Amino acid sequence: MGLLCNLVPPSGIKVTNTANLLVFSWDDKCLFTYHGDRVAILWDVSQVAPAQMLELGPGTLIAATFTATPIKHLVLTYGLDHPTQQFRIVEGCAVAYSPQDLLYPNATIVKSSPDGTMLAFTTTHTVEVRKTGSGRHIRTIDLLREAVSLDFSRDSRYLAMADTQGKLSIIELAGDEVLQSTLGIINDYTASIRPCRFDTEPGWIPVDIVWHSEQFGIFVSSRKEFSPGEPSYRLVWWFPRSEKLNMPFTQDPSGPVARYECARLAPNHTFFACTTPDHDLVLRDIYLRPGYSVGLKGRATACSVSASSSRVAFSFPNGRLGVWHVGQPLFGCQGG
């Protein structure tokens, strides 16, 4: 693991606050960051194009996603009261669409499918799946409560989502049945994944869902505040096509609950990146085996892992950022 680049805003872009939202493009070449002073920057990590400050829509930006090739877009959501915004990425630069070109709903969360064909948006009690680019309606999934996180499977066939009560649901996008069974009563683990719903431990909200690209499994980072302003994170994972169907919550070697400010899961490797209350950037083995890899001490405020799991971005308090190249992490060793 080594430092790939430091990202310093050009003189024409004034940034005073740390980035609290960091999103990689699917090809690892672009990084979008949103800072506390409402500054949004598109970075070309390959350093072919200069950093570009984007003109944002009204409201506070909540979520962002890149679409995959052949046409790369950046889609931003501002909540239910403000319109979704879309940019087309051309040679590392963002070109804004006009409002009349947008056919996407106002939403709180947006996620793109790995094959680049679909976008999923969360509204009050629904998840809307739309065609990338045209915005053509594909499917609406009704929910009892508002979704707080979602992710497409690596083959773009399934959508996992979690609501405000910690219920995690798996939907087959091409199927007709939705939420008809629970994991506890599925007996045939190997035939195929089925539409399912199950509850997480009370009080824990799944804030980050990742489908692993090689193992057909769902990794979930769950958040709970034991006291105001002091969140803790736990990891749990399920393998719907194996006998390891409902594995228990993992226990952190340092104590019953891990004190993480932020936890982002890697889709390809068995690690996750997180920041601690002391602003350490840490890579942890997802199985929490003894040992850990610490990469940066005392300076990281947020982090993100790319879809390929080969890049980790982190933000500094002064608005600067860094990007690391990650090989297969060697846990139990101090990082660079």
Side-chain angles (χ1 to χ4, degrees):
M1 182 175 70
L3 184 66
L4 180 66
C5 59
N6 280 314
L7 302 178
V8 181
S11 57
I13 301 178
K14 185 179 180 180
V15 179
T16 57
N17 288 355
T18 185
N20 47 40
L21 178 62
L22 302 88
V23 181
F24 278 101
S25 62
W26 285 89
D27 58 7
D28 294 350
K29 293 182 179 180
C30 294
L31 176 68
F32 171 80
T33 61
Y34 179 67
H35 301 254
D37 45 7
R38 208 174 179 274
V39 173
I41 301 177
L42 178 68
W43 307 86
D44 188 331
V45 180
S46 61
Q47 299 182 336
V48 174
Q52 177 186 357
M53 186 169 69
L54 305 185
E55 184 176 345
L56 298 178
T60 300
L61 181 63
I62 300 176
T65 191
F66 285 91
T67 62
T69 53
I71 300 176
K72 187 190 302 182
H73 295 93
L74 173 63
V75 183
L76 311 179
T77 57
Y78 299 85
L80 303 179
D81 297 327
H82 301 287
T84 295
Q85 193 175 17
Q86 182 176 216
F87 298 85
R88 181 170 181 173
I89 310 302
V90 181
E91 296 182 351
C93 297
V95 180
Y97 280 76
S98 60
Q100 58 266 30
D101 291 333
L102 289 178
L103 299 175
Y104 298 135
N106 298 0
T108 54
I109 302 173
V110 58
K111 284 293 181 74
S112 60
S113 62
D115 64 5
T117 63
M118 293 177 288
L119 287 163
F121 299 87
T122 62
T123 60
T124 304
H125 295 299
T126 65
V127 173
E128 292 194 28
V129 183
R130 300 289 187 98
K131 183 74 173 178
T132 299
S134 68
R136 180 177 61 83
H137 178 268
I138 296 176
R139 183 168 185 175
T140 296
I141 301 167
D142 294 319
L143 302 174
L144 295 177
R145 300 175 180 87
E146 182 181 356
V148 294
S149 54
L150 63 149
D151 193 35
F152 285 91
S153 62
R154 298 299 99 181
D155 59 7
S156 302
R157 292 177 58 192
Y158 305 97
L159 188 65
M161 61 199 73
D163 65 23
T164 53
Q165 296 299 311
K167 294 183 182 296
L168 182 63
S169 308
I170 304 170
I171 308 297
E172 184 176 14
L173 293 173
D176 295 326
E177 293 182 289
V178 179
L179 307 180
Q180 295 298 312
S181 57
T182 62
L183 286 181
I185 60 173
I186 292 178
N187 296 316
D188 186 358
Y189 302 138
T190 58
S192 66
I193 189 172
R194 304 184 186 184
C196 53
R197 178 184 63 208
F198 55 95
D199 299 339
T200 57
E201 187 175 339
W204 290 89
I205 303 300
V207 295
D208 191 27
I209 301 174
V210 171
W211 287 80
H212 200 275
S213 59
E214 296 178 359
Q215 306 175 57
F216 197 86
I218 304 170
F219 294 80
V220 181
S221 171
S222 296
R223 181 181 188 270
K224 182 177 182 179
E225 287 194 4
F226 288 89
S227 57
E230 295 185 3
S232 295
Y233 288 83
R234 267 179 151 173
L235 296 176
V236 63
W237 57 92
W238 289 270
F239 294 94
R241 284 181 175 168
S242 76
E243 294 182 0
K244 297 179 180 179
L245 193 60
N246 190 358
M247 300 184 70
F249 279 92
T250 58
Q251 297 296 313
D252 191 291
S254 61
V257 177
R259 306 292 297 183
Y260 302 140
E261 297 288 343
C262 170
R264 295 294 177 262
L265 300 160
N268 286 318
H269 293 323
T270 56
F271 78 90
F272 66 97
C274 61
T275 59
T276 71
D278 295 326
H279 300 301
D280 297 340
L281 176 66
V282 182
L283 298 189
R284 296 300 307 267
D285 180 1
I286 202 166
Y287 299 106
L288 296 178
R289 292 170 291 206
Y292 59 94
S293 175
V294 178
L296 185 72
K297 282 188 170 291
R299 293 183 292 166
T301 55
C303 62
S304 179
V305 181
S306 68
S308 69
S309 303
S310 64
R311 302 283 188 271
V312 174
F314 58 92
S315 58
F316 293 104
N318 62 0
R320 296 189 177 188
L321 301 108
V323 177
W324 269 341
H325 171 75
V326 182
Q328 180 63 45
L330 299 176
F331 293 100
C333 303
Q334 293 289 332

